[in-house]
Amino acid sequence: MVNESPDARPRRRLRPTRRGKIVLVVGALLVVTAAVLIPLSLTGSDEPPKKQETPQSTLMIPEGRRVSQVYEAVDKALDLKPGSTLKAASTVDLKLPAQAEGNPEGYLFPATYPIDDTTEPAGLLRYMADTARKHFAADHVTAGAQRNNVSVYDTVTIASIVQAEADTPADMGKVARVVYNRLLKDMPLQMDSTINYALKRSTLDTSTADTQLDSPYNSYRIKGLPPTPIGNPGEDALRAAVRPTPGPWLYFVTVGPGDTRFTDSYDEQQKNVEEFNRGRGSATTG
């Protein structure tokens, strides 16, 4: 969440991120948003897909999962040694955009994938990347990127931030608007989710020391978008990044479940943050 103006000295701040709650809500979301895809050849071969029976099992990739988490999930689903999918990723051409510089973050699309005893990680990763490219090449995505004066890759990056930051799907369009408004004003994004990505963690707390992190993903110190997406966004987040809700907002904070407050006033934002902190102080966290 955005808590400070670009000129304000950062203080210790507490706020919930969507990533911290994703384990609780992703199952319900994916029932609606993630379809079981038509089975393709998931082996490492480039041969045409063979006719298959119903797959023995499926692998669900939740919205917002990072590439490292996807690799771990594939290893577990295919009963492979840890690190096997990471190794396979370095050998397969996922046909990523040049801007990605070979990093598949953001391009392993969250969905439910069929797997069986012939599935190999290289083929499964290729399937995920193919699915992402098809979604990102849709007319409404390319037109939206052009309208917003960003590349499709930047749109995916913004969607990944929206996925991590929004408390509810209904808030995603407003969070996207905060990102665009800050970019237009040449303000640092100041998103805790990007720091969490750099530190390979998910947390409710961001300290002053965290905001001084020497990393290209530290959006408190470095203006503009992070160099890559910070996770693999789903359809709702992508839609929000393509068509953000109109509004002047520059700040937001989730004061309580379902109560995210957006404002363009720094003073009002500080009052909202203080209310959030009071609530955190009196609540028992798990």
Side-chain angles (χ1 to χ4, degrees):
M1 299 300 176
V2 179
N3 289 339
E4 301 288 350
S5 72
D7 298 323
R9 183 179 301 275
R11 301 176 182 176
R12 181 171 180 83
R13 52 187 62 77
L14 302 173
R15 62 25 128 227
T17 63
R18 186 173 189 269
R19 189 173 303 284
K21 302 175 183 177
I22 193 169
V23 175
L24 298 177
V25 302
V26 72
L29 287 175
L30 286 174
V31 167
V32 178
T33 62
V36 176
L37 304 177
I38 299 172
L40 299 178
S41 175
L42 301 182
T43 67
S45 172
D46 289 325
E47 295 178 359
K50 299 177 181 179
K51 186 175 180 180
Q52 300 181 15
E53 301 297 331
T54 302
Q56 296 176 0
S57 186
T58 58
L59 170 62
M60 184 181 70
I61 302 300
E63 297 166 340
R65 288 292 171 90
R66 301 166 184 167
V67 160
S68 59
Q69 295 171 311
V70 174
Y71 293 163
E72 291 172 1
V74 173
D75 283 345
K76 184 175 181 180
L78 301 184
D79 196 24
L80 302 172
K81 292 180 180 179
S84 297
T85 303
L86 172 62
K87 183 178 180 180
S90 66
T91 67
V92 60
D93 180 10
L94 298 180
K95 297 180 173 60
L96 301 170
Q99 201 172 347
E101 296 184 354
N103 186 339
E105 193 72 83
Y107 278 73
L108 300 182
F109 198 80
T112 300
Y113 294 92
I115 58 175
D116 59 27
D117 56 9
T118 69
T119 302
E120 296 179 1
L124 186 53
L125 293 177
R126 187 183 297 113
Y127 190 5
M128 293 177 184
D130 287 347
T131 304
R133 284 199 312 278
K134 290 176 183 177
H135 279 78
F136 301 156
D139 289 344
H140 74 285
V141 176
T142 56
Q146 184 175 11
R147 182 175 60 250
N148 295 323
N149 198 31
V150 294
S151 67
V152 170
Y153 188 77
D154 289 342
T155 301
V156 176
T157 299
I158 292 169
S160 73
I161 294 173
V162 169
Q163 187 79 63
E165 292 282 349
D167 186 53
T168 66
D171 290 333
M172 286 182 172
K174 290 184 176 181
V175 172
R177 177 56 63 190
V178 170
V179 173
Y180 283 113
N181 286 348
R182 283 189 160 244
L183 291 174
L184 287 172
K185 289 181 177 292
D186 197 31
M187 298 170 65
L189 296 183
Q190 296 183 321
M191 298 287 177
D192 294 356
S193 56
T194 64
I195 291 178
N196 282 340
Y197 183 79
L199 294 174
K200 300 180 181 180
R201 71 181 189 187
S202 297
T203 182
L204 302 180
D205 304 344
T206 297
S207 68
T208 298
D210 291 338
T211 65
Q212 301 304 309
L213 179 70
D214 183 13
S215 168
Y217 291 91
N218 184 353
S219 60
Y220 280 83
R221 295 184 63 183
I222 300 176
K223 294 179 181 180
L225 294 173
T228 71
I230 60 169
N232 292 280
E235 279 288 359
D236 287 341
L238 182 63
R239 189 178 302 113
V242 167
R243 191 175 292 278
T245 305
W249 312 291
L250 295 172
Y251 312 94
F252 64 95
V253 62
T254 298
V255 175
D259 183 14
T260 299
R261 301 180 188 178
F262 296 82
T263 181
D264 60 347
S265 166
Y266 179 68
D267 289 340
E268 183 178 349
Q269 170 70 0
Q270 290 304 101
K271 292 178 182 178
N272 291 336
V273 171
E274 289 172 4
E275 182 175 342
F276 166 70
N277 285 334
R278 286 196 299 272
R280 283 279 294 173
S282 62
T284 302
T285 59

